Amino acid sequence: MEVIIIKYAELNTKKNNKNYFINTLKNNIKRKISDDYEIKYTHGRMFIYGDNLEELITPLENTFGIYEFTIAKVSSYDDLDNEVIKYIKDKDFDTFRVTVDRYDKNFKETSMQLARSMGGVVLKNKDNIKVDLHNADFELTIELRDNKAYIYHESYKGKRGFPSGTTNSATLMLSGGLDSPVAGYLALRKGLDIKCIYFDAPPYTSENALNKVIDLAKLLNTYSGNVELYVVKFTKIQEEIKRKTKEDYIITLMRKLMYKVTNDFTLEYGGTAIITGESIGQVASQTLTSMRVISSNLDLPVIRPLATYDKEEIIKISKEIDAYDISILPYDDLCGTFIPKHPVINPTMEQTDYYVSQLEVDDLIKNIDIRKIDLKEKKNKLL
Amino acid sequence: MIYLDYSATTPVDEEILESFIIATKEYYGNPNSKHYLGIKSNKLLKEATKQVADILKVKTDELIFTSGATEANNLAILGAANFSKNNKRIITSKLEHPSIYEMCDHLEKEGFIIDYVDNDKDGYIDLNHLKSLIKKDTCLVSISALNSELGIRQSLLAIKQTIKKANPKTIFHSDLSQAAGKMSFNLKDVDLATFSSHKIYAPIGVGLLYKQNRTFLKPITYGGDEIRPGTPAVALITAFSKALRLANKNLKHEKQITKLSDKVKLEMKKYKNIKINNTKASIPHMVNISLMDLRSEVFVNALSKEGVYVSTTTACSTGKPSATVYNLYEDKQRALTTIRISISHLTTEEEIEIFLDKFNKVYNDLMK
């Protein structure tokens, strides 16, 4: 029999909530995998039983709250020799070592004794191999717990962080660019439940741009299973801004109103924060003065996970989470479409407030069209 | 009608045909167009590609759709040969499809050295010989996972390990067009792999080259940024994607096919002069025999008049002796008189009974 053994991530620091965290992690994993698998847990480890455990490697690698995991062969103490022989049979290595973790203090031998005797078993049953305690190309680990031995040799890194849904809900302002998906990913890693909001302004933005955002939201959802996407039809507000605002302030006003819409949307569903992909100084609208003007008069805190990251670091994470190839597709979002020649770098509160006062957008904001997009992968029936 | 030539091509599955027809009718926008219809086609194309990638456990950007297996083989072999500037050696086996030999002949004229790796009496590649053939300047090894005449199945993993140990830079290509739906395989074991749609119950006209991302090829056709330019055949690719999904389920029919195949072999053994060419490395889907006393074309024609369809060596090389059979048995008469009976999960016991009856009748008539 085989089992996946999962080591938890930062949960140990959360003494009081530990059960809640572990249970949430279990439910998050359950949502991603088939019902045929059985999940059990203790305070120290989680165990998944079933067939074809290799199929779970990718979903588990992409689950927050996991430090690392391994696929182990389960053996009784009596069968240990035979199981080890079977285990190493199809493995290809020249040097090896045996490591024993003895959690079962009733086991008759010490870790060292068992490691030595198992080393002997391996040597006797494979040709042309040597023991190398320091630089082995194959490390056979045997964990002893609850009257069973678990045999494995490689472990897979998890994504660490807190299990999704163990902290609060927040809204991610998702564009099709490089930054916001990365910001969303970092927020998800802190256990947040995320609703994404995207500002669509047809015909200024294309359906391809929207599809790109849907793909990014789906991608984020593979890490949590609880991500939602809402699309705001922003065209009328956009046109009103364009009519009443001097060109260099258009982006400032546009973003200010997007924040306002996001703020109201978040309050309505009971969320506690707004998350954006802004990075200080990256573009004109992301100077600190711009950020201050744009996000003044909001009820909610704005979390900017990337505020101090530089572009290279953002691209690195974007590639790691498989967002890069989607993000670089050449479809402009709204901010890209309306970019003025000389956007204001240091907008003032007074000037911004003046333009806002000129806009007739109260009704437009109140009656704004926000629709939820289904992120479930519905396979085309032609396939 | 008794169709027993599934290794040449397969009848199009009803469900796959329906997808193809709907895709052709409703998704006619050019997937590169920016309007709604184009975006709709593009979305279907992407979904179809994603499904293929998921089934084959590879990335979508490692898939290149072609017009068929022959083009995919050409792109793989010519593309790899032309990309490598100074490495002029190519290795292939003595069990390949004629199209591979034609290409190797062409490359030989261009200054490449072609080495042919030996196999044992069952058809398994001789790994020691392979190891000895791989030199510093060997750019490519092409060995098909499943031979198209006798259904000889190779271990891709063992071949790959031998190649990469001898020269990590040598590219390993395998033609899997016969293999899909008949045997399980792992694309981690190859750098390049060829697939064909019409061998798995989808329409003729689309093939696939898997190219792992660290392998580089020089294009053989030009007209766009892609390695294989041209407007993607959305409907054909959709049908292919569905066919591959269904083909994976066909693997579970091996027992049933073995039963039918054993029955055919058992009957064939009753003819004094007929020889069975399959080895223990063969999968059950192809029964290959040599008539010895009768020309294969004549026999195929006579069976055809009775409504029974089988083939001589492979459908692509009528009239020539079978290189595979000659390689294994070194008997020219045996290589000239081969018949391939290929069986699918669609084949029934009743069909096999009728086939055996007709076979007997035709054989006795022609031997008179």
Side-chain angles (χ1 to χ4, degrees), chain A residues 55 92 206-208 211 215 218 325 329 331 378-383, chain B residues 19 22-23 27 34 36 39 44 47-48 51 57 238 241-242 245:
Chain A
E55 309 251 309
D92 188 19
S206 72
E207 185 150 339
N208 274 331
N211 284 334
D215 285 346
K218 279 182 184 167
D325 288 341
L329 291 172
Y331 313 123
K378 262 184 293 179
K379 208 173 70 179
N380 191 313
K381 59 183 188 310
L382 297 183
L383 296 171
Chain B
S19 283
I22 296 174
Y27 292 77
K34 300 285 172 260
Y36 171 73
I39 291 167
L44 177 61
E47 285 173 356
Q51 177 168 286
K57 299 197 170 76
T238 301
S241 180
K242 186 170 197 167
R245 179 170 68 77

PDB file of all heavy atoms in Angstrom, chain A residues 55 92 206-208 211 215 218 325 329 331 378-383, chain B residues 19 22-23 27 34 36 39 44 47-48 51 57 238 241-242 245:
ATOM      1  N   GLU A  55      -0.837  11.045  -9.486  1.00  0.00           N
ATOM      2  CA  GLU A  55      -1.748  12.036 -10.080  1.00  0.00           C
ATOM      3  C   GLU A  55      -1.950  13.232  -9.155  1.00  0.00           C
ATOM      4  O   GLU A  55      -2.384  14.291  -9.593  1.00  0.00           O
ATOM      5  CB  GLU A  55      -3.124  11.412 -10.333  1.00  0.00           C
ATOM      6  CG  GLU A  55      -3.064  10.116 -11.092  1.00  0.00           C
ATOM      7  CD  GLU A  55      -3.589  10.273 -12.503  1.00  0.00           C
ATOM      8  OE1 GLU A  55      -4.689  10.796 -12.642  1.00  0.00           O
ATOM      9  OE2 GLU A  55      -2.857   9.871 -13.443  1.00  0.00           O
ATOM     10  N   ASP A  92      17.394   3.494  -9.863  1.00  0.00           N
ATOM     11  CA  ASP A  92      18.692   3.531 -10.510  1.00  0.00           C
ATOM     12  C   ASP A  92      19.623   4.441  -9.709  1.00  0.00           C
ATOM     13  O   ASP A  92      19.417   5.644  -9.665  1.00  0.00           O
ATOM     14  CB  ASP A  92      18.491   4.071 -11.944  1.00  0.00           C
ATOM     15  CG  ASP A  92      19.759   3.959 -12.760  1.00  0.00           C
ATOM     16  OD1 ASP A  92      20.637   3.170 -12.381  1.00  0.00           O
ATOM     17  OD2 ASP A  92      19.866   4.663 -13.775  1.00  0.00           O
ATOM     18  N   SER A 206     -10.950  44.470 -25.855  1.00  0.00           N
ATOM     19  CA  SER A 206     -11.438  43.391 -26.719  1.00  0.00           C
ATOM     20  C   SER A 206     -11.878  42.186 -25.900  1.00  0.00           C
ATOM     21  O   SER A 206     -11.565  42.067 -24.715  1.00  0.00           O
ATOM     22  CB  SER A 206     -10.331  42.960 -27.672  1.00  0.00           C
ATOM     23  OG  SER A 206      -9.345  42.243 -26.951  1.00  0.00           O
ATOM     24  N   GLU A 207     -12.595  41.313 -26.570  1.00  0.00           N
ATOM     25  CA  GLU A 207     -12.999  40.074 -25.925  1.00  0.00           C
ATOM     26  C   GLU A 207     -11.777  39.210 -25.604  1.00  0.00           C
ATOM     27  O   GLU A 207     -11.756  38.474 -24.620  1.00  0.00           O
ATOM     28  CB  GLU A 207     -13.952  39.312 -26.855  1.00  0.00           C
ATOM     29  CG  GLU A 207     -14.488  38.080 -26.198  1.00  0.00           C
ATOM     30  CD  GLU A 207     -15.872  37.701 -26.682  1.00  0.00           C
ATOM     31  OE1 GLU A 207     -16.582  38.571 -27.208  1.00  0.00           O
ATOM     32  OE2 GLU A 207     -16.218  36.527 -26.523  1.00  0.00           O
ATOM     33  N   ASN A 208     -10.751  39.341 -26.428  1.00  0.00           N
ATOM     34  CA  ASN A 208      -9.508  38.609 -26.145  1.00  0.00           C
ATOM     35  C   ASN A 208      -8.907  39.030 -24.812  1.00  0.00           C
ATOM     36  O   ASN A 208      -8.363  38.208 -24.081  1.00  0.00           O
ATOM     37  CB  ASN A 208      -8.482  38.842 -27.257  1.00  0.00           C
ATOM     38  CG  ASN A 208      -8.679  37.862 -28.403  1.00  0.00           C
ATOM     39  OD1 ASN A 208      -9.143  36.750 -28.195  1.00  0.00           O
ATOM     40  ND2 ASN A 208      -8.340  38.292 -29.603  1.00  0.00           N
ATOM     41  N   ASN A 211     -10.907  37.382 -22.178  1.00  0.00           N
ATOM     42  CA  ASN A 211     -10.577  35.955 -22.094  1.00  0.00           C
ATOM     43  C   ASN A 211      -9.260  35.712 -21.371  1.00  0.00           C
ATOM     44  O   ASN A 211      -9.100  34.728 -20.647  1.00  0.00           O
ATOM     45  CB  ASN A 211     -10.503  35.339 -23.491  1.00  0.00           C
ATOM     46  CG  ASN A 211     -11.881  35.123 -24.076  1.00  0.00           C
ATOM     47  OD1 ASN A 211     -12.857  34.963 -23.332  1.00  0.00           O
ATOM     48  ND2 ASN A 211     -11.988  35.142 -25.390  1.00  0.00           N
ATOM     49  N   ASP A 215      -8.671  33.528 -18.059  1.00  0.00           N
ATOM     50  CA  ASP A 215      -7.624  32.498 -17.930  1.00  0.00           C
ATOM     51  C   ASP A 215      -6.759  32.738 -16.693  1.00  0.00           C
ATOM     52  O   ASP A 215      -6.369  31.788 -16.006  1.00  0.00           O
ATOM     53  CB  ASP A 215      -6.735  32.469 -19.182  1.00  0.00           C
ATOM     54  CG  ASP A 215      -7.444  31.817 -20.361  1.00  0.00           C
ATOM     55  OD1 ASP A 215      -8.491  31.172 -20.138  1.00  0.00           O
ATOM     56  OD2 ASP A 215      -6.976  31.969 -21.500  1.00  0.00           O
ATOM     57  N   LYS A 218      -8.746  31.762 -13.654  1.00  0.00           N
ATOM     58  CA  LYS A 218      -8.788  30.297 -13.562  1.00  0.00           C
ATOM     59  C   LYS A 218      -7.469  29.775 -13.006  1.00  0.00           C
ATOM     60  O   LYS A 218      -7.446  28.843 -12.197  1.00  0.00           O
ATOM     61  CB  LYS A 218      -9.013  29.686 -14.948  1.00  0.00           C
ATOM     62  CG  LYS A 218     -10.466  29.693 -15.395  1.00  0.00           C
ATOM     63  CD  LYS A 218     -10.587  29.021 -16.743  1.00  0.00           C
ATOM     64  CE  LYS A 218     -12.013  29.110 -17.253  1.00  0.00           C
ATOM     65  NZ  LYS A 218     -12.114  28.743 -18.676  1.00  0.00           N
ATOM     66  N   ASP A 325       3.082  33.415 -19.389  1.00  0.00           N
ATOM     67  CA  ASP A 325       2.709  33.212 -20.788  1.00  0.00           C
ATOM     68  C   ASP A 325       1.328  33.768 -21.109  1.00  0.00           C
ATOM     69  O   ASP A 325       1.057  34.154 -22.242  1.00  0.00           O
ATOM     70  CB  ASP A 325       2.750  31.718 -21.144  1.00  0.00           C
ATOM     71  CG  ASP A 325       4.179  31.209 -21.214  1.00  0.00           C
ATOM     72  OD1 ASP A 325       5.091  32.047 -21.349  1.00  0.00           O
ATOM     73  OD2 ASP A 325       4.381  29.985 -21.109  1.00  0.00           O
ATOM     74  N   LEU A 329       0.404  37.954 -23.442  1.00  0.00           N
ATOM     75  CA  LEU A 329      -0.383  37.990 -24.678  1.00  0.00           C
ATOM     76  C   LEU A 329      -0.749  39.443 -24.976  1.00  0.00           C
ATOM     77  O   LEU A 329      -1.107  40.197 -24.085  1.00  0.00           O
ATOM     78  CB  LEU A 329      -1.664  37.153 -24.526  1.00  0.00           C
ATOM     79  CG  LEU A 329      -1.472  35.644 -24.435  1.00  0.00           C
ATOM     80  CD1 LEU A 329      -2.793  34.962 -24.101  1.00  0.00           C
ATOM     81  CD2 LEU A 329      -0.910  35.100 -25.730  1.00  0.00           C
ATOM     82  N   TYR A 331      -2.948  41.678 -25.633  1.00  0.00           N
ATOM     83  CA  TYR A 331      -4.257  42.327 -25.669  1.00  0.00           C
ATOM     84  C   TYR A 331      -4.306  43.385 -24.579  1.00  0.00           C
ATOM     85  O   TYR A 331      -4.127  43.085 -23.409  1.00  0.00           O
ATOM     86  CB  TYR A 331      -5.379  41.315 -25.450  1.00  0.00           C
ATOM     87  CG  TYR A 331      -5.244  40.076 -26.283  1.00  0.00           C
ATOM     88  CD1 TYR A 331      -5.203  38.822 -25.693  1.00  0.00           C
ATOM     89  CD2 TYR A 331      -5.136  40.157 -27.674  1.00  0.00           C
ATOM     90  CE1 TYR A 331      -5.058  37.679 -26.459  1.00  0.00           C
ATOM     91  CE2 TYR A 331      -4.989  39.015 -28.441  1.00  0.00           C
ATOM     92  CZ  TYR A 331      -4.948  37.782 -27.831  1.00  0.00           C
ATOM     93  OH  TYR A 331      -4.802  36.644 -28.582  1.00  0.00           O
ATOM     94  N   LYS A 378     -15.564  24.212 -18.119  1.00  0.00           N
ATOM     95  CA  LYS A 378     -16.602  23.413 -18.758  1.00  0.00           C
ATOM     96  C   LYS A 378     -16.051  22.960 -20.088  1.00  0.00           C
ATOM     97  O   LYS A 378     -15.754  23.781 -20.952  1.00  0.00           O
ATOM     98  CB  LYS A 378     -17.875  24.239 -18.945  1.00  0.00           C
ATOM     99  CG  LYS A 378     -18.881  23.973 -17.838  1.00  0.00           C
ATOM    100  CD  LYS A 378     -20.164  24.716 -18.085  1.00  0.00           C
ATOM    101  CE  LYS A 378     -19.916  26.174 -17.962  1.00  0.00           C
ATOM    102  NZ  LYS A 378     -20.885  27.117 -18.145  1.00  0.00           N
ATOM    103  N   LYS A 379     -15.914  21.677 -20.237  1.00  0.00           N
ATOM    104  CA  LYS A 379     -15.296  21.215 -21.462  1.00  0.00           C
ATOM    105  C   LYS A 379     -16.268  21.348 -22.618  1.00  0.00           C
ATOM    106  O   LYS A 379     -17.444  21.031 -22.494  1.00  0.00           O
ATOM    107  CB  LYS A 379     -14.862  19.764 -21.307  1.00  0.00           C
ATOM    108  CG  LYS A 379     -13.683  19.459 -22.190  1.00  0.00           C
ATOM    109  CD  LYS A 379     -13.138  18.091 -21.943  1.00  0.00           C
ATOM    110  CE  LYS A 379     -14.117  17.062 -22.447  1.00  0.00           C
ATOM    111  NZ  LYS A 379     -13.627  15.712 -22.254  1.00  0.00           N
ATOM    112  N   ASN A 380     -15.752  21.858 -23.725  1.00  0.00           N
ATOM    113  CA  ASN A 380     -16.558  21.940 -24.937  1.00  0.00           C
ATOM    114  C   ASN A 380     -17.033  20.536 -25.300  1.00  0.00           C
ATOM    115  O   ASN A 380     -16.248  19.595 -25.326  1.00  0.00           O
ATOM    116  CB  ASN A 380     -15.684  22.515 -26.059  1.00  0.00           C
ATOM    117  CG  ASN A 380     -16.512  22.877 -27.270  1.00  0.00           C
ATOM    118  OD1 ASN A 380     -17.349  22.096 -27.726  1.00  0.00           O
ATOM    119  ND2 ASN A 380     -16.279  24.060 -27.780  1.00  0.00           N
ATOM    120  N   LYS A 381     -18.323  20.393 -25.567  1.00  0.00           N
ATOM    121  CA  LYS A 381     -18.840  19.036 -25.807  1.00  0.00           C
ATOM    122  C   LYS A 381     -18.299  18.436 -27.106  1.00  0.00           C
ATOM    123  O   LYS A 381     -18.407  17.241 -27.338  1.00  0.00           O
ATOM    124  CB  LYS A 381     -20.373  19.030 -25.790  1.00  0.00           C
ATOM    125  CG  LYS A 381     -21.033  19.925 -26.786  1.00  0.00           C
ATOM    126  CD  LYS A 381     -22.535  19.878 -26.614  1.00  0.00           C
ATOM    127  CE  LYS A 381     -23.266  20.623 -27.726  1.00  0.00           C
ATOM    128  NZ  LYS A 381     -22.774  21.973 -27.993  1.00  0.00           N
ATOM    129  N   LEU A 382     -17.720  19.276 -27.960  1.00  0.00           N
ATOM    130  CA  LEU A 382     -17.108  18.732 -29.181  1.00  0.00           C
ATOM    131  C   LEU A 382     -15.842  17.935 -28.871  1.00  0.00           C
ATOM    132  O   LEU A 382     -15.363  17.166 -29.689  1.00  0.00           O
ATOM    133  CB  LEU A 382     -16.744  19.859 -30.150  1.00  0.00           C
ATOM    134  CG  LEU A 382     -17.895  20.699 -30.687  1.00  0.00           C
ATOM    135  CD1 LEU A 382     -17.380  21.711 -31.687  1.00  0.00           C
ATOM    136  CD2 LEU A 382     -18.943  19.816 -31.347  1.00  0.00           C
ATOM    137  N   LEU A 383     -15.319  18.144 -27.668  1.00  0.00           N
ATOM    138  CA  LEU A 383     -14.063  17.461 -27.323  1.00  0.00           C
ATOM    139  C   LEU A 383     -14.336  16.179 -26.545  1.00  0.00           C
ATOM    140  O   LEU A 383     -13.469  15.536 -26.054  1.00  0.00           O
ATOM    141  CB  LEU A 383     -13.160  18.394 -26.523  1.00  0.00           C
ATOM    142  CG  LEU A 383     -12.710  19.622 -27.287  1.00  0.00           C
ATOM    143  CD1 LEU A 383     -12.018  20.603 -26.366  1.00  0.00           C
ATOM    144  CD2 LEU A 383     -11.763  19.221 -28.409  1.00  0.00           C
TER     145      LEU A 383
ATOM    146  N   SER B  19     -18.420  15.729 -34.059  1.00  0.00           N
ATOM    147  CA  SER B  19     -17.630  16.873 -33.594  1.00  0.00           C
ATOM    148  C   SER B  19     -16.986  17.590 -34.771  1.00  0.00           C
ATOM    149  O   SER B  19     -16.973  18.814 -34.849  1.00  0.00           O
ATOM    150  CB  SER B  19     -16.514  16.416 -32.655  1.00  0.00           C
ATOM    151  OG  SER B  19     -17.036  16.132 -31.397  1.00  0.00           O
ATOM    152  N   ILE B  22     -19.697  19.563 -36.746  1.00  0.00           N
ATOM    153  CA  ILE B  22     -20.147  20.772 -36.035  1.00  0.00           C
ATOM    154  C   ILE B  22     -19.029  21.816 -36.005  1.00  0.00           C
ATOM    155  O   ILE B  22     -19.257  23.004 -36.246  1.00  0.00           O
ATOM    156  CB  ILE B  22     -20.617  20.426 -34.608  1.00  0.00           C
ATOM    157  CG1 ILE B  22     -21.840  19.509 -34.682  1.00  0.00           C
ATOM    158  CG2 ILE B  22     -20.960  21.698 -33.824  1.00  0.00           C
ATOM    159  CD1 ILE B  22     -22.305  18.974 -33.345  1.00  0.00           C
ATOM    160  N   ALA B  23     -17.817  21.366 -35.747  1.00  0.00           N
ATOM    161  CA  ALA B  23     -16.693  22.310 -35.707  1.00  0.00           C
ATOM    162  C   ALA B  23     -16.505  22.974 -37.071  1.00  0.00           C
ATOM    163  O   ALA B  23     -16.235  24.168 -37.162  1.00  0.00           O
ATOM    164  CB  ALA B  23     -15.418  21.593 -35.266  1.00  0.00           C
ATOM    165  N   TYR B  27     -17.567  26.681 -36.427  1.00  0.00           N
ATOM    166  CA  TYR B  27     -16.323  27.342 -36.000  1.00  0.00           C
ATOM    167  C   TYR B  27     -15.472  27.640 -37.229  1.00  0.00           C
ATOM    168  O   TYR B  27     -14.338  27.214 -37.327  1.00  0.00           O
ATOM    169  CB  TYR B  27     -15.551  26.462 -35.024  1.00  0.00           C
ATOM    170  CG  TYR B  27     -16.233  26.274 -33.688  1.00  0.00           C
ATOM    171  CD1 TYR B  27     -17.316  25.406 -33.547  1.00  0.00           C
ATOM    172  CD2 TYR B  27     -15.798  26.977 -32.561  1.00  0.00           C
ATOM    173  CE1 TYR B  27     -17.950  25.236 -32.326  1.00  0.00           C
ATOM    174  CE2 TYR B  27     -16.420  26.813 -31.340  1.00  0.00           C
ATOM    175  CZ  TYR B  27     -17.493  25.938 -31.228  1.00  0.00           C
ATOM    176  OH  TYR B  27     -18.113  25.773 -30.013  1.00  0.00           O
ATOM    177  N   LYS B  34      -9.481  38.695 -35.294  1.00  0.00           N
ATOM    178  CA  LYS B  34      -9.707  39.382 -34.018  1.00  0.00           C
ATOM    179  C   LYS B  34     -11.199  39.514 -33.675  1.00  0.00           C
ATOM    180  O   LYS B  34     -11.559  40.005 -32.624  1.00  0.00           O
ATOM    181  CB  LYS B  34      -9.089  40.783 -34.048  1.00  0.00           C
ATOM    182  CG  LYS B  34      -7.592  40.772 -34.276  1.00  0.00           C
ATOM    183  CD  LYS B  34      -6.835  40.333 -33.019  1.00  0.00           C
ATOM    184  CE  LYS B  34      -5.368  40.124 -33.293  1.00  0.00           C
ATOM    185  NZ  LYS B  34      -5.000  38.709 -33.483  1.00  0.00           N
ATOM    186  N   TYR B  36     -15.353  38.209 -33.236  1.00  0.00           N
ATOM    187  CA  TYR B  36     -15.985  37.198 -32.399  1.00  0.00           C
ATOM    188  C   TYR B  36     -15.785  35.780 -32.933  1.00  0.00           C
ATOM    189  O   TYR B  36     -15.425  34.869 -32.191  1.00  0.00           O
ATOM    190  CB  TYR B  36     -17.480  37.522 -32.250  1.00  0.00           C
ATOM    191  CG  TYR B  36     -18.248  36.415 -31.583  1.00  0.00           C
ATOM    192  CD1 TYR B  36     -18.103  36.190 -30.212  1.00  0.00           C
ATOM    193  CD2 TYR B  36     -19.080  35.586 -32.315  1.00  0.00           C
ATOM    194  CE1 TYR B  36     -18.783  35.150 -29.597  1.00  0.00           C
ATOM    195  CE2 TYR B  36     -19.759  34.548 -31.710  1.00  0.00           C
ATOM    196  CZ  TYR B  36     -19.608  34.332 -30.358  1.00  0.00           C
ATOM    197  OH  TYR B  36     -20.263  33.303 -29.760  1.00  0.00           O
ATOM    198  N   ILE B  39     -12.261  34.602 -32.472  1.00  0.00           N
ATOM    199  CA  ILE B  39     -11.967  34.332 -31.064  1.00  0.00           C
ATOM    200  C   ILE B  39     -12.607  33.006 -30.643  1.00  0.00           C
ATOM    201  O   ILE B  39     -12.022  32.209 -29.910  1.00  0.00           O
ATOM    202  CB  ILE B  39     -12.462  35.507 -30.192  1.00  0.00           C
ATOM    203  CG1 ILE B  39     -11.586  36.734 -30.467  1.00  0.00           C
ATOM    204  CG2 ILE B  39     -12.426  35.154 -28.715  1.00  0.00           C
ATOM    205  CD1 ILE B  39     -12.139  38.032 -29.922  1.00  0.00           C
ATOM    206  N   LEU B  44     -11.747  27.271 -29.157  1.00  0.00           N
ATOM    207  CA  LEU B  44     -11.903  25.824 -29.362  1.00  0.00           C
ATOM    208  C   LEU B  44     -10.545  25.179 -29.652  1.00  0.00           C
ATOM    209  O   LEU B  44     -10.212  24.121 -29.108  1.00  0.00           O
ATOM    210  CB  LEU B  44     -12.882  25.563 -30.512  1.00  0.00           C
ATOM    211  CG  LEU B  44     -13.098  24.099 -30.894  1.00  0.00           C
ATOM    212  CD1 LEU B  44     -13.664  23.297 -29.728  1.00  0.00           C
ATOM    213  CD2 LEU B  44     -14.016  23.980 -32.102  1.00  0.00           C
ATOM    214  N   GLU B  47      -8.619  24.915 -26.468  1.00  0.00           N
ATOM    215  CA  GLU B  47      -9.156  23.863 -25.592  1.00  0.00           C
ATOM    216  C   GLU B  47      -8.784  22.480 -26.113  1.00  0.00           C
ATOM    217  O   GLU B  47      -8.437  21.583 -25.345  1.00  0.00           O
ATOM    218  CB  GLU B  47     -10.680  23.985 -25.480  1.00  0.00           C
ATOM    219  CG  GLU B  47     -11.109  25.133 -24.583  1.00  0.00           C
ATOM    220  CD  GLU B  47     -12.624  25.362 -24.615  1.00  0.00           C
ATOM    221  OE1 GLU B  47     -13.332  24.677 -25.382  1.00  0.00           O
ATOM    222  OE2 GLU B  47     -13.092  26.235 -23.890  1.00  0.00           O
ATOM    223  N   ALA B  48      -8.879  22.337 -27.439  1.00  0.00           N
ATOM    224  CA  ALA B  48      -8.539  21.039 -28.044  1.00  0.00           C
ATOM    225  C   ALA B  48      -7.063  20.733 -27.806  1.00  0.00           C
ATOM    226  O   ALA B  48      -6.696  19.602 -27.458  1.00  0.00           O
ATOM    227  CB  ALA B  48      -8.843  21.058 -29.539  1.00  0.00           C
ATOM    228  N   GLN B  51      -6.429  19.792 -24.209  1.00  0.00           N
ATOM    229  CA  GLN B  51      -6.843  18.421 -23.900  1.00  0.00           C
ATOM    230  C   GLN B  51      -5.788  17.413 -24.363  1.00  0.00           C
ATOM    231  O   GLN B  51      -5.471  16.459 -23.655  1.00  0.00           O
ATOM    232  CB  GLN B  51      -8.197  18.117 -24.551  1.00  0.00           C
ATOM    233  CG  GLN B  51      -8.643  16.679 -24.329  1.00  0.00           C
ATOM    234  CD  GLN B  51     -10.093  16.454 -24.702  1.00  0.00           C
ATOM    235  OE1 GLN B  51     -11.005  16.867 -23.991  1.00  0.00           O
ATOM    236  NE2 GLN B  51     -10.320  15.809 -25.832  1.00  0.00           N
ATOM    237  N   LYS B  57       0.296  14.380 -21.116  1.00  0.00           N
ATOM    238  CA  LYS B  57       1.071  14.876 -19.967  1.00  0.00           C
ATOM    239  C   LYS B  57       2.275  15.717 -20.411  1.00  0.00           C
ATOM    240  O   LYS B  57       3.410  15.524 -19.954  1.00  0.00           O
ATOM    241  CB  LYS B  57       1.515  13.711 -19.076  1.00  0.00           C
ATOM    242  CG  LYS B  57       0.330  12.928 -18.482  1.00  0.00           C
ATOM    243  CD  LYS B  57       0.790  12.075 -17.309  1.00  0.00           C
ATOM    244  CE  LYS B  57      -0.363  11.468 -16.535  1.00  0.00           C
ATOM    245  NZ  LYS B  57      -1.006  10.324 -17.183  1.00  0.00           N
ATOM    246  N   THR B 238      -9.779  19.451 -33.507  1.00  0.00           N
ATOM    247  CA  THR B 238     -10.821  19.132 -32.531  1.00  0.00           C
ATOM    248  C   THR B 238     -11.140  17.638 -32.575  1.00  0.00           C
ATOM    249  O   THR B 238     -11.215  16.962 -31.542  1.00  0.00           O
ATOM    250  CB  THR B 238     -12.102  19.940 -32.843  1.00  0.00           C
ATOM    251  OG1 THR B 238     -11.774  21.329 -32.796  1.00  0.00           O
ATOM    252  CG2 THR B 238     -13.213  19.633 -31.861  1.00  0.00           C
ATOM    253  N   SER B 241      -8.301  15.646 -31.130  1.00  0.00           N
ATOM    254  CA  SER B 241      -8.250  15.743 -29.674  1.00  0.00           C
ATOM    255  C   SER B 241      -9.250  14.783 -29.038  1.00  0.00           C
ATOM    256  O   SER B 241      -8.955  14.067 -28.085  1.00  0.00           O
ATOM    257  CB  SER B 241      -8.539  17.191 -29.263  1.00  0.00           C
ATOM    258  OG  SER B 241      -8.495  17.334 -27.879  1.00  0.00           O
ATOM    259  N   LYS B 242     -10.459  14.775 -29.615  1.00  0.00           N
ATOM    260  CA  LYS B 242     -11.470  13.865 -29.095  1.00  0.00           C
ATOM    261  C   LYS B 242     -11.049  12.407 -29.317  1.00  0.00           C
ATOM    262  O   LYS B 242     -11.206  11.563 -28.429  1.00  0.00           O
ATOM    263  CB  LYS B 242     -12.806  14.130 -29.796  1.00  0.00           C
ATOM    264  CG  LYS B 242     -13.948  13.334 -29.234  1.00  0.00           C
ATOM    265  CD  LYS B 242     -15.259  13.818 -29.791  1.00  0.00           C
ATOM    266  CE  LYS B 242     -16.414  13.341 -28.955  1.00  0.00           C
ATOM    267  NZ  LYS B 242     -17.657  14.039 -29.300  1.00  0.00           N
ATOM    268  N   ARG B 245      -8.604  11.248 -26.783  1.00  0.00           N
ATOM    269  CA  ARG B 245      -9.255  10.977 -25.494  1.00  0.00           C
ATOM    270  C   ARG B 245      -9.917   9.597 -25.520  1.00  0.00           C
ATOM    271  O   ARG B 245      -9.783   8.809 -24.592  1.00  0.00           O
ATOM    272  CB  ARG B 245     -10.298  12.069 -25.191  1.00  0.00           C
ATOM    273  CG  ARG B 245     -11.051  11.859 -23.894  1.00  0.00           C
ATOM    274  CD  ARG B 245     -11.874  13.066 -23.509  1.00  0.00           C
ATOM    275  NE  ARG B 245     -12.998  13.344 -24.377  1.00  0.00           N
ATOM    276  CZ  ARG B 245     -14.160  12.677 -24.360  1.00  0.00           C
ATOM    277  NH1 ARG B 245     -14.323  11.678 -23.523  1.00  0.00           N
ATOM    278  NH2 ARG B 245     -15.130  13.003 -25.177  1.00  0.00           N
TER     279      ARG B 245
END
